[in-house]
Amino acid sequence: MTEDVRDDLADLAFHDDPHPFYARWRQTGPVRPVVLPGGFGGWLVTSYEDARQALTDPRLSQAIQPPPQVNDPISADIGAAVGHHMLAVDPPDHTRLRRLVTAAFTARRIEALRPRIEQITDELLDAMAGREQVDLIDALAFPLPIQVICELLGIPSQDRDSFRSWSNTLVGGEALRVQLPAAMAALVSYVRALIADRRRHPGDDLLSGLIAVRDQADRLSEDELSSMVFLLLIAGHETTVNLIGNGCYLLLSHRERWEQLRADPALLPAAIEEFLRYESPVETTTFRITTQAMQIGGVSVPAGEIVVVSLLSANRDEKRFPDAAELRLDRPHNPHMAFGHGIHYCLGAPLARLEAKVAFGKLLARFPGLRLATDQAPGWRPGLLLRGHQALPVLTH
């Protein structure tokens, strides 16, 4: 690349409020060279149409990754145990893995979770009822999806705090890089032991289904199996944590929207789609690498370059969404890309939507007077991948 000036995405001003940066970049250069957290040079895609193009272009590979940094602490064994999942491969491997996983991750299995999701939500709200102030992330946004994914996979619920610690480290970017090797090794060790135990004692859970699933002679390898459990554990709750947390903050900081949704619960499905668009729980995609020189949005990108798509920016593109900077709970047509686009569209999107619908519906009915405990805006979690609050203190009445 010949460009000398690159916007630094590790800049704190950008991290604290990226929307003004994205808005300016969509106007001045929607496909632009940047410095990614960690010091990598790469290209950032910020507009809606360019994002759709990039997410469906086979010349952008998910399987090829940047060369490891000097003294990269992640061993090849650990990397293989977490790196052979659907988000890290291209067709035909992706097609094969998604077919096998979809066979176990059925709509019937998801819909069957509804009564349990409602029960868990009721129990969490019961615990909130006796307290004047709570952190809504700790009280609801985190425990609901992690409990659901643990039960779906057949993982003991008492291990959920360990998963939260490991997951926060894995998605925390450069800010938590020093803790990454230990967290990755601990998670892989746990997953491998869990798979071995479930092979000896299969049950009616998703993990047992993944172990047993096959398509004629084809089945998941050991690394593919551990990688898929890793992906489902992390992606299976992180998106929903941020969806619930971000949505609650949007409603409580726009009080008229809270009252609007309370007065008309039929708006809830559209409101959830608007939360997903307006403050997308996944800010950027994982790295893609150009397998050949190509044009993205009219910009020439050489072969072997890192490309990152900002879903957060694409979902605020004024050319695609009228009044994009306005939070509209009744937005009539909302083709956001919060769950991605193309072959890597999130398999767990129906589960995230179901959990959010139950959580918001019950929270609004149970705590009509819920309000923010402070005028200070909550801080954002570290890293470029996810967009979510670290804490959300609220008063229950």
Side-chain angles (χ1 to χ4, degrees), residues 112-127:
L113 290 170
R114 182 185 295 271
R116 180 59 179 143
I117 293 172
E118 292 176 345
Q119 181 183 7
I120 294 170
T121 303
D122 285 335
E123 291 170 354
L124 293 171
L125 298 183
D126 286 345

Side-chain angles (χ1 to χ4, degrees), residues 182-240:
M184 190 82 79
L187 179 56
V188 168
S189 177
Y190 182 92
V191 167
R192 284 173 169 168
L194 190 68
I195 292 170
D197 178 74
R198 204 51 45 81
R199 276 208 169 94
R200 293 190 299 268
H201 309 288
D204 184 25
D205 53 67
L206 180 56
L207 178 53
S208 297
L210 290 171
I211 292 171
V213 72
R214 60 171 63 243
D215 184 359
Q216 298 180 0
D218 188 21
R219 66 188 308 164
L220 296 172
S221 71
E222 286 302 300
D223 282 341
E224 289 169 345
L225 185 56
S226 61
S227 296
M228 198 57 61
V229 174
F230 163 80
L231 176 64
L232 291 171
L233 276 172
I234 304 301
H237 81 277
E238 286 286 8
T239 298
T240 311

Side-chain angles (χ1 to χ4, degrees), residues 352-373:
R353 286 185 167 106
L354 175 58
E355 291 172 337
K357 185 175 181 180
V358 172
F360 283 111
K362 288 183 174 291
L363 183 68
L364 285 156
R366 186 76 178 272
F367 295 95
L370 194 76
R371 63 190 190 279
L372 295 172

